[in-house]
Structure formats: structure tokens, C-alpha cells
Amino acid sequence: MTEIADRADNLSPLKRAVLEIRELRSRIDEAERARREPIAIVGMGMRLPGGISDPEAFWDLLRDGTEAIGPIPPERWDAEAFYDPDPEAPGKMYTRHGAFVDPVDQFDPQFFGISPREAASMDPQQRLLLETAWEALERAGQAPDKLNGSQTGVFIGIANSDYFRMLASDLAAIDVYLATGNTLSVAAGRISYLLGLHGPSMAIDTACSSSLVAVHLAAQSLRSHECDLALAGGVNLILSPEANINFSKAQMMARDGHCKTFDAAADGYVRGEGCAVIVLKRLSDALASGDNILAVIRGSAVNQDGRSSGLTAPNGPAQEAVIRTALANGGIASHEVSYVEAHGTGTPLGDPIEIQALGAVLGADRPADRPLLVGSVKTNVGHLESAAGVVGLIKVVLALHHSQIPPHLHFRTPNPHIPWNTLPITIPTALTPWPVGERRRIAGISSFGFSGTNAHVLIEEAPAAREPVASDARPLQLLTLSAKSAAALRVLALRYQNWIAQRPDLALSDLCHTANVGRAQFE
């Protein structure tokens, strides 16, 4: 800076002005690049219906076109006692189905330094978030115990309070841990407390769009350098029947237990539960660190319906606007988007509005031989409400990785209220190739809350992986495993043994490096 100042002092006023303009333009360009810097997804963790606890199992379910929806477990409530086909029946619901995580009452509090007494008053949503966030960090190669003091942010979508209502119904049983165990803000704050994180930490409740709004806010926080690493995701558990009764009165749920998005028979959604967390970094930092980049967030946007035909009614112009803003934020042309993971709840009102909004924005200038493909993971795992958006995002990441778009289920007779003949849109009902080619692969994810808050995120395939740096071959590799108990260590060793046996081409040096550096070390 001193050399520039000295040089400017020796220039004429005109040349000095030109130099200052160039420097100002350079700063503006740098600020614009920072505002739009792509965000790398470097890790994922999940607990989803159907016993899914890792991305590999989730991909198997998606690829095979499996539906993880079933009867309401008796451990939640007596489905027959609350069932009535009449939606107006007081205190009843007209559905017996949902997509559930099992079990949700199992938790190892000592692993996280929590006493059993405190754990009993903790909402299981908080417990799932702790487990899933930890696993997401380990999958990202970020040892959780080494993040203490770091500028790591936590952004969690959460809206349900079933457990609090259950505990608070017995006033005599309320203990000192009820508030911290069930306040939504603590769902994010407890993760930051456990790991000693100093970045922004917040719970987001915009109803069904909560987790995708969380992803958007995390990306913004990374771009503004409020944090250098971010956890973003959502959680939802269905523990008591009150919401089902309410949604039955509003006739929002499918009677047959299937989410039939975009089909003529669509009559509502199926409630689902689960937890998913992704780990984010600025792309430049991820590349510099040699992280395993799964996909890249190029752009995102959030807006609100404002005044519409009803508080909970979807608003087509607002949906169009949020997609256009996300495209502008990412510097992406509409025809470059080849797939959209739709909000797609399977409601007679919402489906036509969403499809026509997608066609209006993403159908422009689209080659006839490249229609926009649209699907919804809700046909597989139901509507995870506050966790729905991030689950749809993870589906897109897996589809990019495997170069295949999973089949959209229960689409037999196209909804007659959608003008399919005028829209360049196709619903993939079979496993569809999505190959790497000359054009970059970009997908959008939509999530709309019945609060009126809409979110859209644009995901691009990961950049080409760097060639591994040649190193001296070692005749032996050191694999370090650690746990908090001898029993846990035996389980961990068995998991590694099974993992290695299933992957004969696995690079042992990479496995050992990750286990030694990217995992927490215990006594």
C-alpha cells in the first residue's frame, strides 16, 4: 500500500484519478466475488425413515424407488383409537400412516457429557441433532473435538414441540431441565456449547421451509466471513397425535398413506420425521484444504408470499420470484438448470401452482430436447416438514454423485389441472441417467412453508477432483480407532472391518489418514 501511495504522489492529478478508479473497481469486483462465492458441501449426516442412517443407505432407497412409509407405530399412539374416516369427527384423524424413525428413545448421554437425568427432559429432536451433527462432521473429515474455539456456525430448522407438550402436561413432573431440553433455540445452541463453537448459532422456524432457509443463512454467513465452517440442517419428530388431528381438520393429509405428488389422485401429504445436517465451507477454503467436495451451492434466495388468497395458500408469483432471485444470486441462466427437487407436497392446490411457477421461470429458452426434470423425495419418505428442504438437497447431492436421477413415485395419471402440453417439464418415473458431459449439471431445490416463507437453493456438481499427490509407498499403515468404552470400541472395529470388506479397491492410506486426523480421539 505504501508503494502505491508513493507512486500516486508522483503522478499527475488525471493519472492519479485513473489509478484510484482502477483500485476502486478492483475492490468492487472483489466484494462481488465474495458475495457470490460458491459454497462447498463437504459432509452429510442423517437419520431418516426406513432405518436410514447414512448416505449410502439413502441412495439405495432412492435408486430402488422404495417408499419408507408405514403404519403409525403403537409406541407413538393407538392409531385405531384416533382414526375416523370423517375429517370432521372431533378429536380424530383420517390417516393411519406416516414415515417414522425408529428408535427415537435410544440415546447415549454420557458420550456428550450429559447426565441421564438431564437427557430424560431433552426433546429427542435435540438428541438426534447432536448425533447427526457429530457424524456429519466426521464424514467431512472435521474432527469434532478439534473445533473448540473455532468460527463455526450452526443453523438448524426446527418447529415441532411434541415432547414439550407431553412433559408439560404433568405439572408435578416439571424439573430444572425442561426449558433447556425443549426450547427450540437450544437445539442449535447445545451443539455450539458441546463443541465450543463461536460462530452464529440459531434455530429457524419458517414451518416447512425451515431447513432450506437454514442452508441459505449458513451460506450467507460463510460469504460474509461470520463463520469459516457451518452446520446446516433440520429435524422433525412426530411424538403425539395433536398435529395430525389438526391437519385432518384442514384435509391436508393423504388418506391412503401415499404422497402422490403431481398425480390426479393427489389428496395431500404423508407426515414424515427425521434429521439431516450438512457441513459447509467456502469453496476456496475447501479446495485449499483438499476437502472431499460433494457438491457446490451456487445461489439461494428466501422470500415471503405476503398477501395471497389465504395465510397458508401457496403464491405462484412469489415462488417465481424466489427462483429468479436465486438464479441471479448464482449467476445462472434458467435453461442451465436441468433438474428441480420440488417442494411437491401432493396437494390439489399446491401442485399446479408449483409446476406452473417452475415452467414460467425455468422453461424459458429451454431446448426442446432438454426438458426440465422435476421430482420430489416426499414420495419416498413423506413430508419431513421442518427437515424437508435439507433432505431434498441431500437427494440432489447423491443424484449428482451417482449421475442418476431417482424415480418419482406414485405418478400414474398426470394432474389434469396442470397444462402439461405447454410446459417443458418431465416427471422421471424411472431411474434416469444424469451423465457428466459438456454442460455443467445444476439443480434447484424448492421449499415452501405454510407460514408463507419460500426458499430456493441451486446446487452444482462438484469440481473435478484433483489428482492425488504421489507419495512414497509405505509397506504398513497405522489405523487408529478410539471410543469412550471398550464395548463401543469393539462395535467401531467391527464397523470398520465390514466397511473395508465391502470395498476391495479402497485406498488404505486414505482410510487411515481420515481415521487418524478426521475423527475425535477418545481415551
Side-chain angles (χ1 to χ4, degrees):
M1 291 297 293
T2 304
E3 292 179 3
I4 295 175
D6 292 342
R7 183 155 52 108
D9 290 339
N10 296 325
L11 296 176
S12 67
L14 179 59
K15 291 182 177 180
R16 188 181 302 120
V18 171
L19 180 63
E20 290 174 353
I21 290 172
R22 287 175 177 170
E23 291 175 355
L24 179 59
R25 184 175 297 162
S26 176
R27 291 196 194 103
I28 292 173
D29 290 343
E30 184 178 348
E32 182 65 16
R33 282 193 298 272
R35 187 178 71 85
R36 291 188 173 186
E37 178 169 8
I39 302 299
I41 302 170
V42 296
M44 304 186 297
M46 64 199 69
R47 293 285 192 281
L48 300 179
I52 294 167
S53 59
D54 56 60
E56 293 79 15
F58 189 28
W59 175 250
D60 289 345
L61 177 139
L62 294 170
R63 179 200 60 211
D64 297 341
T66 304
E67 184 182 46
I69 292 170
I72 295 170
E75 296 80 14
R76 304 305 173 92
W77 62 82
D78 184 346
E80 290 302 321
F82 283 95
Y83 176 77
D84 194 301
D86 179 7
E88 300 301 325
K92 303 291 184 177
M93 64 186 77
Y94 60 77
T95 180
R96 301 184 179 97
H97 296 86
F100 295 90
V101 173
D102 183 54
V104 294
D105 59 344
Q106 303 298 306
F107 182 61
D108 181 4
Q110 282 95 345
F111 181 89
F112 298 104
I114 298 169
S115 71
R117 179 186 172 193
E118 182 176 2
S121 291
M122 280 175 59
D123 188 331
Q125 294 181 126
Q126 289 192 22
R127 305 178 203 164
L128 277 182
L129 281 168
L130 289 175
E131 295 172 347
T132 307
W134 187 282
E135 290 182 8
L137 286 168
E138 289 199 329
R139 281 187 165 268
Q142 304 288 327
D145 61 340
K146 294 183 174 64
L147 294 176
N148 185 37
S150 67
Q151 287 299 118
T152 299
V154 180
F155 304 82
I156 299 299
I158 181 171
N160 207 335
S161 298
D162 284 1
Y163 199 66
F164 174 75
R165 289 196 301 272
M166 294 167 66
L167 292 182
S169 64
D170 182 1
L171 298 182
I174 293 176
D175 64 11
V176 68
Y177 298 114
L178 180 72
T180 55
N182 293 271
T183 303
L184 298 186
S185 59
V186 177
R190 192 183 291 274
I191 297 172
S192 298
Y193 168 78
L194 171 72
L195 301 177
L197 312 178
H198 291 288
S201 183
M202 62 190 74
I204 296 102
D205 178 7
T206 59
C208 310
S209 58
S210 298
S211 63
L212 207 62
V213 172
V215 172
H216 167 75
L217 294 175
Q220 284 191 326
S221 184
L222 285 163
R223 290 186 178 117
S224 66
H225 288 257
E226 287 181 327
C227 60
D228 300 316
L229 184 73
L231 292 164
V235 66
N236 186 55
L237 286 180
I238 306 166
L239 304 177
S240 60
E242 292 87 354
N244 275 38
I245 295 170
N246 174 217
F247 294 161
S248 289
K249 297 296 172 285
Q251 299 192 41
M252 295 166 58
M253 294 190 294
R255 290 180 177 273
D256 62 357
H258 300 294
C259 189
K260 303 172 287 293
T261 306
F262 308 132
D263 192 85
D267 60 348
Y269 70 83
V270 181
R271 295 191 74 201
E273 64 180 20
C275 179
V277 175
I278 59 175
V279 183
L280 305 175
K281 268 187 171 184
R282 290 181 290 272
L283 179 59
S284 56
D285 292 343
L287 290 170
S289 300
D291 292 314
N292 180 29
I293 300 171
L294 306 174
V296 174
I297 297 174
R298 285 294 309 276
S300 63
V302 170
N303 75 358
Q304 233 283 343
D305 286 344
R307 295 282 294 186
S308 59
S309 60
L311 173 64
T312 62
N315 184 320
Q319 293 179 19
E320 293 179 26
V322 77
I323 298 170
R324 287 194 176 97
T325 303
L327 290 168
N329 176 256
I332 294 170
S334 59
H335 67 270
E336 292 183 284
V337 179
S338 52
Y339 174 77
V340 168
E341 176 63 23
H343 182 61
T345 51
T347 57
L349 176 64
D351 285 0
I353 290 174
E354 180 172 12
I355 281 289
Q356 291 183 80
L358 290 173
V361 179
L362 302 177
D365 303 321
R366 182 170 294 277
D369 62 339
R370 294 208 303 271
L372 177 70
L373 300 181
V374 178
S376 175
V377 74
K378 292 177 179 63
T379 63
N380 299 96
V381 296
H383 184 6
L384 270 66
E385 299 171 342
S386 52
V390 71
V391 173
L393 185 151
I394 289 175
K395 171 188 170 182
V396 170
V397 173
L398 293 172
L400 287 167
H401 176 71
H402 292 278
S403 298
Q404 294 174 310
I405 294 174
H408 176 95
L409 308 183
H410 310 306
F411 185 72
R412 298 180 178 89
T413 304
N415 188 320
H417 301 295
I418 298 174
W420 297 101
N421 293 336
T422 64
L423 296 172
I425 290 175
T426 297
I427 309 298
T429 57
L431 193 62
T432 303
W434 197 9
V436 177
E438 296 178 358
R439 293 179 297 273
R440 55 182 180 169
R441 296 177 299 161
I442 298 174
I445 302 99
S446 288
S447 201
F448 311 135
F450 76 173
S451 63
T453 297
N454 308 308
H456 193 80
V457 174
L458 292 160
I459 302 292
E460 184 178 359
E461 61 188 318
R466 293 179 179 177
E467 290 294 326
V469 178
S471 60
D472 294 334
R474 297 190 181 96
L476 299 173
Q477 299 288 341
L478 177 65
L479 175 65
T480 59
L481 305 179
S482 66
K484 292 195 172 184
S485 70
L489 185 60
R490 284 192 294 272
V491 172
L492 181 63
L494 182 61
R495 290 177 63 187
Y496 267 89
Q497 179 182 341
N498 293 336
W499 178 272
I500 294 170
Q502 295 169 11
R503 292 161 177 80
D505 298 330
L506 183 69
L508 192 57
S509 58
D510 290 344
L511 174 73
C512 293
H513 175 81
T514 302
N516 300 345
V517 177
R519 299 289 183 268
Q521 300 299 317
F522 302 118
E523 295 179 359

